[in-house]
Amino acid sequence: MAAGRDVYTAECAKCHGEDGEGGTGPLVIGGGRRIASYGDTDRLYDYVSRTMPFDDAGSLTEDQYWAVIAYLLDANELLPVEVVLGPDTDTITLER
């Protein structure tokens, strides 16, 4: 998760807060698992990779997007322990 934390700090924290608490962007860690509202990892990836970072949407690599999503899912206790999230991982349903 260290790679995802690094991407988050560099690319996401400016809007979503250092600890995902929100700012100009909504909170992404905590808050009743708001991130689970995307339903599954494929939908979450699709949204994030098309719209984030807000000021330069689509600018990260596929690996960076998956790393930051894995970090956020882990921080929200939504990523099964044995899963290494990436483009070849089976879709994971996000339970609220």
Side-chain angles (χ1 to χ4, degrees), residues 2-83:
R5 174 69 181 177
D6 291 346
V7 173
Y8 180 86
T9 299
E11 302 294 339
C12 312
K14 60 189 169 206
C15 292
H16 294 285
E18 290 300 316
D19 296 311
E21 71 277 10
T24 57
L27 91 154
V28 290
I29 297 175
R33 297 185 178 169
R34 174 188 174 114
I35 203 165
S37 68
Y38 289 91
D40 65 48
T41 51
D42 287 348
R43 287 184 190 141
L44 179 59
Y45 176 87
D46 181 59
Y47 174 78
V48 172
S49 66
R50 285 185 300 104
T51 63
M52 298 294 145
F54 183 72
D55 59 352
D56 197 10
S59 64
L60 305 181
T61 67
E62 182 179 40
D63 287 342
Q64 287 174 311
Y65 282 115
W66 280 116
V68 77
I69 289 169
Y71 165 71
L72 293 173
L73 292 177
D74 184 63
N76 282 287
E77 300 177 350
L78 294 169
L79 186 65
V81 175
E82 69 280 359
V83 172

Side-chain angles (χ1 to χ4, degrees), residues 41-42 83 85-92:
T41 51
D42 287 348
V83 172
L85 196 61
D88 297 324
T89 306
D90 289 337
T91 301
I92 299 169

